[in-house]
Amino acid sequence: SKSPSPRPNMPVRYFIMKSSNLQNIDISQQKGIWSTTRSNEQKLNRAFWESSMVYLIFSVQGSGHFQGFARMASEIGCEKSQDWGSADFGGVFKVEWIRKESIPFQFAHHLLNPWNDNKKVQ
């Protein structure tokens, strides 16, 4: 389903999405979809409905880089995708990629996450 009409007084939310491999990021960028573990679904769906915008910042585990960021464009549904080939993933949802670029973590070391003991964002 589509996001409700813009809600300017609602917060913007940001999530770091870790991928086990670059192939998943490539699939997402080509098809405009993403799938995550079931444990993340409730948090993301709640953010989708209670925020004006949800941005997803993607990183491949162990890469030392961000691979870009996208906007969450739909809630997470029940439909699964075979693109990732893992039974551990939940439903698919739409994403709109804003920037596709490898950015070293060191460029974001000035960003601290107050909800994670002010640790660096990476």
Side-chain angles (χ1 to χ4, degrees):
S1 67
K2 283 274 189 195
S3 178
S5 58
R7 297 162 296 216
N9 296 329
M10 301 295 282
V12 173
R13 299 285 307 271
Y14 300 87
F15 293 89
I16 304 288
M17 306 303 292
K18 292 286 190 177
S19 176
S20 60
N21 60 64
L22 189 56
Q23 181 182 358
N24 291 350
I25 302 285
D26 292 339
I27 290 167
S28 177
Q29 291 175 343
Q30 291 168 11
K31 296 190 173 191
I33 60 172
W34 188 251
S35 186
T36 188
T37 59
R38 290 182 191 98
S39 62
N40 289 334
E41 287 184 338
Q42 185 176 0
K43 286 184 239 175
L44 288 172
N45 273 339
R46 180 176 289 138
F48 181 75
W49 288 108
E50 295 177 355
S51 306
S52 62
M53 196 75 59
V54 177
Y55 291 104
L56 307 174
I57 304 158
F58 292 85
S59 176
V60 174
Q61 291 176 340
S63 70
H65 288 73
F66 297 110
Q67 280 69 41
F69 65 99
R71 181 180 77 83
M72 189 174 175
S74 75
E75 69 181 337
I76 301 169
C78 296
E79 180 183 335
K80 295 187 178 224
S81 173
Q82 298 304 315
D83 290 311
W84 285 277
S86 173
D88 294 336
F89 290 133
V92 173
F93 60 100
K94 294 179 184 175
V95 294
E96 294 175 359
W97 279 85
I98 297 165
R99 187 163 184 129
K100 304 172 188 176
E101 183 176 344
S102 183
I103 302 165
F105 287 161
Q106 66 192 32
F107 290 172
H109 275 179
H110 64 286
L111 300 175
L112 304 177
N113 183 348
W115 294 280
N116 190 18
D117 299 325
N118 282 320
K119 291 180 182 173
K120 295 175 185 175
V121 175
Q122 60 184 43

